[in-house]
């Protein structure tokens, strides 16, 4: 059980455990006055719960293909302060998209990103980690369809996948508005990138970087500042 300042997460049955990627994305994603939020691949519900904390009384739909994880997410939501605002759907996003009538001002996802790489014996873990069931092109197409006209979509992806993602997004008239390159420390190259796509192509995209550690097991001030509303000890 992970305890945060305003909610707790049980992730024992989730194929993918809570990690730094989700915490970074949930804390970093720019939020305005959102009309409705969609979390694609919610896992144990961490991003949906972070969005609920940051967006008071906004309706949030959270979609999860794995049944065990969806059941766990529902339990986490029911134990949170926001059970009336977060709705868990145990469906592939393709099925959800074909049936839902809602449009979203914010879509957020920590998507599966391994392609053509060695798989583990655990089928559920493979689904959570590998994009066989949800290729980048399909995910972005669904995102484009479900976004409101002025909506935005936030993702955290491998740094070396950024060029492909921006290419696929541009084909759908989605363009980077905010980009943050993430590195373990100043001595490392970026291994992740967080990006917000929007329909308007801005003259200049806001680009910065973030280091997680200043030294072994010591978080940087910028990481602590970004996540301080969630971590108990920050």
């Amino acid at each position: 059980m992970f305890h945060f300042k305003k909610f707790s997460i049980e992730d024992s049955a989730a194929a993918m455990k809570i990690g730094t990627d989700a915490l970074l994305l949930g804390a970093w994603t720019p939020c305005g006055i959102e009309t409705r939020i969609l979390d694609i691949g919610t896992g144990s519900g961490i991003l949906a719960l972070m969005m609920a904390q940051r967006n008071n009384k906004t309706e949030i739909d959270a979609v999860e293909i794995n049944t065990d994880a969806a059941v766990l997410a529902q339990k986490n939501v029911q134990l949170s302060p926001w059970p009336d605002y977060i709705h868990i759907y145990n469906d592939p996003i393709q099925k959800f998209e074909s049936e839902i009538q809602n449009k979203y001002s914010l879509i957020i996802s920590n998507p599966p990103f391994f392609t053509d790489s060695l798989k583990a014996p655990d089928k559920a873990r493979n689904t959570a980690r590998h994009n066989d069931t949800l290729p980048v092109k399909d995910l972005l197409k669904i995102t484009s369809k479900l976004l409101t006209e002025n909506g935005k979509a936030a993702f955290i992806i491998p740094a070396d996948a950024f060029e492909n993602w921006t290419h696929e997004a541009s084909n759908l008239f989605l363009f980077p508005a905010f980009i943050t390159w993430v590195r373990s420390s100043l001595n490392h190259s970026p291994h992740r990138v967080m990006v917000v796509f929007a329909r308007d192509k801005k003259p200049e995209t806001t680009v910065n970087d973030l280091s997680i550690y200043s030294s072994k097991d010591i978080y940087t001030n910028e990481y602590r500042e970004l996540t301080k509303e969630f971590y108990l000890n920050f």
Side-chain angles (χ1 to χ4, degrees), residues 58-170:
T58 300
E59 298 287 334
I60 300 170
D61 294 333
V63 183
E64 173 54 48
I65 190 173
N66 179 266
T67 299
D68 289 341
V71 169
L72 193 60
Q74 186 63 55
K75 290 179 180 178
N76 288 329
V77 167
Q78 290 302 313
L79 293 172
S80 80
W82 313 284
D84 296 333
Y85 297 101
I86 302 175
H87 316 285
I88 305 295
Y89 294 84
N90 180 204
D91 284 314
I93 189 60
Q94 296 90 335
K95 180 176 184 291
F96 174 86
E97 175 265 328
S98 69
E99 298 175 352
I100 200 72
Q101 300 298 314
N102 298 322
K103 296 286 187 179
Y104 301 90
S105 64
L106 172 61
I107 295 176
I108 188 168
S109 182
N110 175 16
F113 51 71
F114 285 116
T115 305
D116 299 330
S117 55
L118 187 63
K119 295 186 177 181
D122 187 332
K123 183 178 179 181
R125 185 170 171 82
N126 285 333
T127 300
R129 289 167 59 87
H130 295 259
N131 66 10
D132 302 34
T133 59
L134 187 58
V136 173
K137 184 182 294 186
D138 292 355
L139 174 55
L140 289 171
K141 187 175 181 179
I142 289 168
T143 296
S144 178
K145 181 177 178 180
L146 293 179
L147 274 180
T148 59
E149 185 59 34
N150 296 315
K152 56 187 179 291
F155 302 94
I156 184 166
I157 58 176
D160 60 8
F162 179 73
E163 186 175 345
N164 180 52
W165 272 72
T166 53
H167 172 74
E168 295 290 356
S170 67

Side-chain angles (χ1 to χ4, degrees), residues 29-46:
T29 296
C31 296
I33 301 175
E34 306 302 341
T35 56
R36 197 174 188 101
I37 298 171
L38 175 63
D39 174 13
I40 300 177
T42 195
S44 57
I46 178 66

